[in-house]
Amino acid sequence: MKNKLLAQCFMIPTLMLVTFIAAAQTRILKGKVVDETQSPLTGATIKVKGTNTATTTDPEGSFLLNISNDAKFLEVSYIGYALKEVPIAGNDMTIALEPSTDQGLEEVVVIGYGTARKKDLTGSMVTIGAKNFNKGIMTSPDQLIQGKTPGVMVINNTGQPGGSTTVRIRGNSSIRASNNPLFVLDGVPMSGNSPLPEGRGGFSSDRGNPLTYLNPGDIASMDILKDASATAIYGSRGANGVVIITTKKGKVGSPEVSVGASGGVSSMREYPDVLNAARFREALKYYTPSDATNADFGGNEDAFKAITQKAITQNYYADVAGGTEHGKYRLSGGYLNQNGIIRGSQLKKYTANFTGNFRFLENKRLGLDFAVFLTQMDNKYAPINAMVGSEGNVISQALQWNPTRPLRDEQGNLTFVSTTTRNPLTSIEAFKDIATTNTMVVNLAPYYKITDDLEYRFIYSAMRQTGNRQGMYRAGLIDPSTNKDEQAFISNNGETNLQMTHMLSYNKQINEDWSVNAVAGYEYLDYKFNNNIMFGRGFSYMGLDYFDYMQYSTAALREVASYRSPTNQLQSLFLRGGFNYLNRYLLTATVRRDGSTKFGSNNKYAVFPSLAVAWNVAEEQFLKSSGIFDQLKVRLGWGKTGNQEFPSGASQDRLVFGNQSISQANYGNPDLKWETSTTINAGIDFGILGNRLYGSIDYFNKKTTDALFEQTLAQPAPAGRIWVNLGGEIVNKGVEVALTGTIVKNDNWNWDLTGNATFLKNSVSGLIGYYQTGALRGQGFSGVLGQRMVNDQPLNVWYLADYQGIDPQTGMSMYRGLDGSISSKNDPAMNKFYMNSPNPTTLLGISTNISYKQFSLAANMNGAFGHYLFNNTAATTLGLSNLSSRNIGSAFFDTSVQESTSNSASASTRYLEKGDYLKMANLTLSYKVGNVGKTLKDLSVSLTGQNLFIITKYTGFDPEVNTDGATNGIPSLGIEYLPYPPARNILLGVNFSL
């Protein structure tokens, strides 16, 4: 895009505004803010009503504020206390606040390109503060909010330290484009890309979590925007919801140091149920008596325990913050060393964050906010790859290991069986897979208050991520005959993202009845990505890491590849206006116009509007006099948002360079346009019994049209692929309920309980034909797909053979035929049916906090119901056909059905299991010691258990799993295949300040 000139044109008036200094008649007001016991409140906010002139109190509760001579009233607020409006009298004031009963309705929350009071919100959004975050080993922000709010599903795809997650807000709504929400860090939208390069061959296939670079200790709150009214301000990137991450900032007062440290141990929560040596011998005698002697090696080995370990985790964190009303600062640092429960896996993370908020000039109208985030992560990976062939990965190798065969011989050497029946300990030694990723984010935001009501702000942000991954494979350890054909690779990723935003904000209390807030802006984003990889084979082991001398590989077997993404730029104009009449009638209107280089020349721009209204019924006199409701608000919103999360250059002709060759991989489409979601949301917020019981209910209906999709050109057209917009629509609709109650509250005891539930339903209609995905893997499953996108079914519906038990005559599996017959002669590949959905129909979250004096107990549970998972691990790794050389799952040793060992597995409902679960995600017992002497302040100790237990009938490792089975870019859901297992963690922590 040639719009940098436009951006520069915006900067010219910016400089003029910054240099313009308005003369004003002002005076200094000082005072103190105290609580109901006359104790000082640190960090209370004092604001001149109807203006943006504000400050906060120091550790003694004192403040100084430069106010105009015509200022009439102050608004004083503090979290947990009621907003107080007081007339300005004299030059020295003492203001006492009372505990709040409105559950923070006056609290200011982040809404995207601005802030608003909770009571003024018209859209569906939830704010989660740091005190309510999940506890334990948290490597990324999305794990902090798992189970905390309705409509949000967070799945830990793997137990690998720093591993990937799946995040969905109000379900899946796209067939081919990304379904991930947009994450925004302090006003800066993240690209969502992981800097970790891909591996090569049997190396770990998990790409990691793109948010792992953030330290959860730096996060103050997370705001989840769910409906179009809340997300339309983000236009083309808001279709899947928005999560706004707000980091901690400095505060007025003397420098204060906060320190946190924790250490703990991780272990397997539950080992897989395979036969032990004694049961294996019984199975041999029953199923393969002729091999009972030859297959029994006399040992008693638990291979899965051999590849796992008690893993130690250390986590240290410290920050220092302070400042004056002229300038506040905060500097933090963190170190995490998490060893994985699979031997050879580890995450080390080093983080630093520096933020500042400064105000200049006598009238303090000129300001500067800035933040710098620096992170380095060093990873070691175990060889757990979901795309392996018959040789499996270290998980399947351990599951299938003959428990009577020792893993080491009498001399301590690792046992060699064959190239396909591998010793899992040998695989751990044969693969070396290490990576270093670095992330730097710099945000600069100068601003100038043109008047008390009008502010101009310029945001400039730069994000740079690099990833270096090195791997080597000791093929000779696996197969001694290949000891001179060993392999190595080096892979590098680089990403640079730039943002420039010009923004005017207007916030005015026009009179006692009317108030208005508005924001208008222009934004320019530029994303660049590149990678390269070098692969070589033919090494001979000389005691060195092969990736340190790649030139020693055989030249004819050496490969080099590199890639740079096509231009990916976005420019936008946005406008939002909010109106409040009598604190009862609220209106919010938003419009954003986005232009993207990703789309065809005929559809580069699109407009995304939204409109929402709300009625604070509790402010009506007829309801106030009833004394029933402390809060009651009715909300209704409509809006359109877009999705452009697909490859850049997709609308253009694209050529691919091969080895001295060029071929066309993509054909351009000048009419390619935005995938659009239209959402209607209706909600009620309520509170009764002095807000001892409060909550919300939301109904939403979201329709997605013009779905982006990459399809193969139909013959007789040239071979290749083209991106198109599909006809039809994807519908997600549901109900969200959140309820919080204070059960006990007195001088010593406090007990509150929070529950949230989401009821979801999605379906597809209007498609021409169907689209397949859901790659199922393992021996006999080559090329098998288990899911479809098809009309009148939910997304990713299972398409499988209908298993009907074991034929007692033949010992073979029986399947239902298309004609209704049940027989072992029905071919499962030719007789398939639509069978259930991997999409949960119900999400559940439960949290409770109990405190007695200085003791407190916090528990958080989450669950999902109504969905089905395909246990691909059981299907192709644990079946009877393993006998007699390999182990089997205990469930398959069933003498009552007399199954034949020649009965091969198929993609059928035999391995389709209910995924319902309720998990004790974390449980924390803490004790507030308080101040110790004159040095340590607010000392507290805590004991946290994470992933303690799970209630489920699913027989795999964990129902919270999502192994990647994407096909042709179409995502899958609900497959478990040889995953890195989840860990149970026990942590002891201590926190204090100086």
Side-chain angles (χ1 to χ4, degrees):
M1 275 186 194
K2 298 181 180 180
N3 290 293
K4 294 186 178 179
L5 180 61
L6 179 59
Q8 293 171 349
C9 291
F10 270 82
M11 296 186 68
I12 295 174
T14 302
L15 296 174
M16 296 176 64
L17 289 172
V18 171
T19 54
F20 174 77
I21 303 174
Q25 298 295 321
T26 62
R27 63 188 177 95
I28 299 296
L29 174 67
K30 68 177 182 177
K32 189 173 186 179
V33 179
V34 297
D35 63 14
E36 70 277 16
T37 65
Q38 298 302 303
S39 299
L41 291 175
T42 303
T45 299
I46 302 92
K47 179 181 177 182
V48 177
K49 184 178 179 181
T51 74
N52 288 325
T53 302
T55 189
T56 56
T57 56
D58 63 18
E60 285 72 44
S62 301
F63 68 88
L64 291 174
L65 187 62
N66 196 338
I67 64 173
S68 61
N69 287 328
D70 57 356
K72 304 295 185 185
F73 293 93
L74 293 178
E75 291 178 339
V76 186
S77 61
Y78 188 75
I79 295 176
Y81 288 78
L83 176 74
K84 188 168 188 177
E85 182 177 306
V86 295
I88 297 174
N91 294 320
D92 193 349
M93 303 174 61
T94 297
I95 305 163
L97 300 184
E98 295 293 331
S100 173
T101 60
D102 64 6
Q103 296 304 325
L105 294 180
E106 300 293 342
E107 182 182 342
V108 174
V109 295
V110 180
I111 58 173
Y113 300 100
T115 58
R117 294 183 303 176
K118 273 189 178 180
K119 69 187 301 181
D120 292 339
L121 296 177
T122 57
S124 178
M125 70 166 290
V126 175
T127 297
I128 302 174
K131 68 176 182 179
N132 293 318
F133 288 160
N134 287 317
K135 306 296 190 295
I137 303 175
M138 300 296 166
T139 58
S140 64
D142 40 22
Q143 296 171 329
L144 299 173
I145 59 174
Q146 185 180 32
K148 288 295 186 177
T149 181
V152 179
M153 179 178 74
V154 179
I155 298 173
N156 291 301
N157 299 339
T158 170
Q160 168 74 39
S164 62
T165 59
T166 297
V167 183
R168 297 291 182 264
I169 296 179
R170 292 182 168 179
N172 293 319
S173 59
S174 181
I175 292 178
R176 176 61 176 81
S178 172
N179 283 291
N180 293 329
L182 173 68
F183 285 87
V184 178
L185 174 65
D186 287 339
V188 180
M190 301 288 98
S191 69
N193 293 329
S194 170
L196 177 67
E198 293 186 19
R200 172 69 183 260
F203 295 86
S204 172
S205 57
D206 186 75
R207 291 292 309 284
N209 190 321
L211 298 174
T212 304
Y213 74 90
L214 288 172
N215 189 331
D218 286 329
I219 300 175
S221 66
M222 296 176 69
D223 298 88
I224 298 99
L225 315 183
K226 295 187 284 187
D227 71 337
S229 170
T231 64
I233 192 71
Y234 290 100
S236 63
R237 296 160 298 159
N240 299 317
V242 179
V243 179
I244 301 176
I245 301 171
T246 302
T247 59
K248 296 175 181 177
K249 305 296 189 297
K251 55 187 179 181
V252 174
S254 301
E256 182 176 294
V257 178
S258 298
V259 178
S262 63
V265 62
S266 302
S267 60
M268 282 287 295
R269 187 189 65 224
E270 186 175 352
Y271 282 92
D273 191 9
V274 295
L275 301 183
N276 60 25
R279 289 279 289 164
F280 182 77
R281 292 184 177 98
E282 292 178 20
L284 290 177
K285 292 177 182 178
Y286 183 81
Y287 289 106
T288 58
S290 61
D291 294 331
T293 301
N294 294 334
D296 184 356
F297 296 91
N300 185 2
E301 196 74 72
D302 190 328
F304 212 91
K305 286 187 177 179
I307 67 168
T308 60
Q309 62 182 355
K310 297 282 186 181
I312 303 299
T313 293
Q314 303 174 67
N315 192 15
Y316 305 97
Y317 178 82
D319 68 32
V320 56
T324 69
E325 63 173 316
H326 300 280
K328 297 177 289 184
Y329 62 89
R330 179 179 178 273
L331 175 65
S332 71
Y335 169 70
L336 170 67
N337 185 346
Q338 181 186 1
N339 290 287
I341 58 172
I342 301 295
R343 296 183 183 277
S345 57
Q346 184 185 42
L347 166 65
K348 288 185 178 181
K349 182 165 75 168
Y350 312 84
T351 61
N353 173 218
F354 183 46
T355 63
N357 311 92
F358 298 98
R359 289 188 287 180
F360 307 98
L361 308 179
E362 186 177 351
N363 57 17
K364 300 183 183 65
R365 291 186 181 274
L366 177 64
L368 173 66
D369 298 336
F370 72 85
V372 179
F373 299 86
L374 299 172
T375 301
Q376 176 172 311
M377 292 187 293
D378 297 329
N379 286 86
K380 295 180 181 179
Y381 298 96
I384 299 177
N385 189 303
M387 288 74 173
V388 289
S390 61
E391 75 277 5
N393 66 31
V394 70
I395 300 297
S396 61
Q397 292 157 15
L399 290 173
Q400 294 180 329
W401 185 258
N402 182 335
T404 69
R405 185 193 294 271
L407 288 164
R408 295 181 182 272
D409 62 23
E410 295 179 353
Q411 288 73 40
N413 300 314
L414 291 168
T415 304
F416 173 75
V417 181
S418 71
T419 57
T420 54
T421 302
R422 297 184 176 182
N423 186 326
L425 293 181
T426 303
S427 289
I428 290 176
E429 288 196 13
F431 286 86
K432 185 172 186 178
D433 188 0
I434 59 176
T436 296
T437 56
N438 289 278
T439 301
M440 179 179 68
V441 181
V442 179
N443 301 335
L444 295 173
Y447 63 90
Y448 185 73
K449 294 181 181 295
I450 303 169
T451 70
D452 287 341
D453 311 310
L454 182 65
E455 178 184 284
Y456 166 79
R457 181 178 291 263
F458 171 67
I459 301 174
Y460 178 81
S461 173
M463 179 180 189
R464 175 63 178 169
Q465 295 193 105
T466 60
N468 171 261
R469 185 169 180 175
Q470 301 169 315
M472 59 177 282
Y473 171 47
R474 296 284 316 281
L477 294 179
I478 300 297
D479 182 357
S481 67
T482 60
N483 63 351
K484 293 185 179 180
D485 189 25
E486 309 209 323
Q487 307 167 20
F489 74 89
I490 300 174
S491 184
N492 298 285
N493 278 359
E495 180 179 14
T496 303
N497 305 325
L498 300 176
Q499 173 194 1
M500 287 193 300
T501 304
H502 300 269
M503 193 164 58
L504 279 174
S505 301
Y506 182 73
N507 193 340
K508 177 70 172 178
Q509 183 76 40
I510 298 174
N511 53 43
E512 291 186 0
D513 296 337
W514 282 95
S515 67
V516 60
N517 67 76
V519 62
Y522 165 83
E523 189 167 74
Y524 171 82
L525 298 163
D526 184 17
Y527 298 104
K528 291 184 172 68
F529 174 82
N530 67 279
N531 79 317
N532 58 72
I533 184 170
M534 177 185 294
F535 171 79
R537 58 190 303 175
F539 293 94
S540 296
Y541 188 62
M542 302 175 66
L544 301 173
D545 293 333
Y546 302 145
F547 44 71
D548 288 332
Y549 56 108
M550 293 292 292
Q551 67 275 14
Y552 191 70
S553 60
T554 303
L557 300 177
R558 197 179 302 148
E559 301 173 22
V560 177
S562 61
Y563 168 82
R564 181 176 296 277
S565 67
T567 301
N568 181 6
Q569 296 175 341
L570 185 76
Q571 69 169 354
S572 312
L573 295 170
F574 56 88
L575 176 66
R576 179 180 62 220
F579 306 90
N580 182 325
Y581 178 59
L582 297 175
N583 273 332
R584 297 200 289 272
Y585 312 109
L586 311 172
L587 170 68
T588 303
T590 304
V591 63
R592 181 171 179 128
R593 185 172 189 262
D594 279 331
S596 172
T597 57
K598 287 186 175 183
F599 292 96
S601 55
N602 298 333
N603 290 297
K604 283 193 178 296
Y605 288 86
V607 176
F608 302 98
S610 76
L611 186 67
V613 294
W615 177 23
N616 275 325
V617 188
E619 295 294 328
E620 298 288 357
Q621 192 58 43
F622 70 84
L623 199 60
K624 279 186 174 182
S625 60
S626 70
I628 300 175
F629 288 95
D630 301 290
Q631 55 171 308
L632 181 63
K633 182 200 287 186
V634 180
R635 296 176 278 105
L636 181 64
W638 167 92
K640 289 187 176 184
T641 49
N643 190 345
Q644 64 139 22
E645 296 306 313
F646 70 112
S648 57
S651 64
Q652 303 168 0
D653 290 335
R654 291 186 59 194
L655 302 177
V656 174
F657 291 88
N659 186 8
Q660 295 298 306
S661 66
I662 299 177
S663 60
Q664 184 160 358
N666 188 80
Y667 286 81
N669 180 0
D671 296 318
L672 189 66
K673 59 184 176 181
W674 307 76
E675 182 174 294
T676 303
S677 295
T678 303
T679 303
I680 296 175
N681 191 97
I684 298 175
D685 304 320
F686 60 89
I688 59 175
L689 304 176
N691 272 313
R692 291 282 293 268
L693 183 66
Y694 63 94
S696 64
I697 302 174
D698 277 84
Y699 166 80
F700 63 90
N701 190 316
K702 178 181 175 182
K703 294 183 179 180
T704 301
T705 56
D706 296 321
L708 291 162
F709 191 79
E710 184 185 26
Q711 65 182 25
T712 302
L713 288 170
Q715 297 297 322
R721 303 179 71 81
I722 186 171
W723 278 85
V724 297
N725 295 103
L726 296 179
E729 64 183 23
I730 302 159
V731 176
N732 278 275
K733 55 186 177 182
V735 175
E736 301 171 347
V737 180
L739 191 64
T740 298
T742 301
I743 301 172
V744 177
K745 188 173 185 178
N746 56 43
D747 291 342
N748 293 326
W749 284 94
N750 190 77
W751 179 18
D752 62 65
L753 179 65
T754 297
N756 69 78
T758 308
F759 306 96
L760 288 164
K761 182 179 180 180
N762 74 20
S763 62
V764 184
S765 63
L767 293 181
I768 299 176
Y770 59 83
Y771 302 92
Q772 291 184 288
T773 187
L776 305 179
R777 301 185 175 95
Q779 192 164 359
F781 273 37
S782 178
V784 175
L785 303 177
Q787 295 179 341
R788 283 187 174 184
M789 309 290 192
V790 65
N791 291 333
D792 304 319
Q793 295 287 347
L795 284 173
N796 297 100
V797 64
W798 293 110
Y799 187 64
L800 304 166
D802 187 6
Y803 173 74
Q804 293 292 320
I806 300 296
D807 187 337
Q809 303 300 319
T810 64
M812 308 299 283
S813 295
M814 297 185 296
Y815 303 97
R816 177 162 62 99
L818 296 176
D819 60 358
S821 64
I822 297 175
S823 171
S824 59
K825 295 181 180 179
N826 289 328
D827 186 352
M830 303 301 295
N831 295 270
K832 292 187 176 183
F833 301 87
Y834 295 113
M835 307 289 291
N836 301 305
S837 168
N839 301 282
T841 58
T842 304
L843 303 175
L844 185 64
I846 303 172
S847 300
T848 189
N849 292 276
I850 304 172
S851 63
Y852 173 72
K853 294 185 178 179
Q854 285 117 315
F855 288 95
S856 63
L857 178 69
N860 297 286
M861 303 183 76
N862 64 76
F865 306 87
H867 61 301
Y868 286 76
L869 306 176
F870 190 85
N871 192 337
N872 199 163
T873 303
T876 57
T877 304
L878 300 177
L880 272 180
S881 59
N882 282 348
L883 290 176
S884 58
S885 61
R886 295 180 293 184
N887 203 359
I888 65 173
S890 296
F892 291 92
F893 186 8
D894 186 353
T895 58
S896 66
V897 296
Q898 298 180 337
E899 182 177 357
S900 170
T901 56
S902 61
N903 186 31
S904 59
S906 66
S908 73
T909 57
R910 181 179 189 181
Y911 310 104
L912 195 64
E913 303 181 35
K914 283 189 174 182
D916 299 355
Y917 76 91
L918 184 63
K919 177 180 290 187
M920 176 58 74
N922 48 83
L923 182 69
T924 299
L925 176 66
S926 58
Y927 178 72
K928 295 181 179 179
V929 180
N931 296 340
V932 179
K934 296 182 179 180
T935 304
L936 295 183
K937 299 178 182 178
D938 300 323
L939 174 65
S940 67
V941 293
S942 62
L943 181 65
T944 296
Q946 187 179 8
N947 197 17
L948 291 176
F949 65 83
I950 187 168
I951 303 171
T952 184
K953 292 184 178 180
Y954 180 68
T955 62
F957 283 98
D958 196 306
E960 187 190 331
V961 68
N962 185 28
T963 303
D964 183 13
T967 305
N968 294 325
I970 306 175
S972 65
L973 184 66
I975 299 173
E976 184 215 85
Y977 185 54
L978 308 180
Y980 191 119
R984 175 187 285 135
N985 307 312
I986 305 296
L987 293 170
L988 180 64
V990 59
N991 294 273
F992 59 89
S993 59
L994 302 174

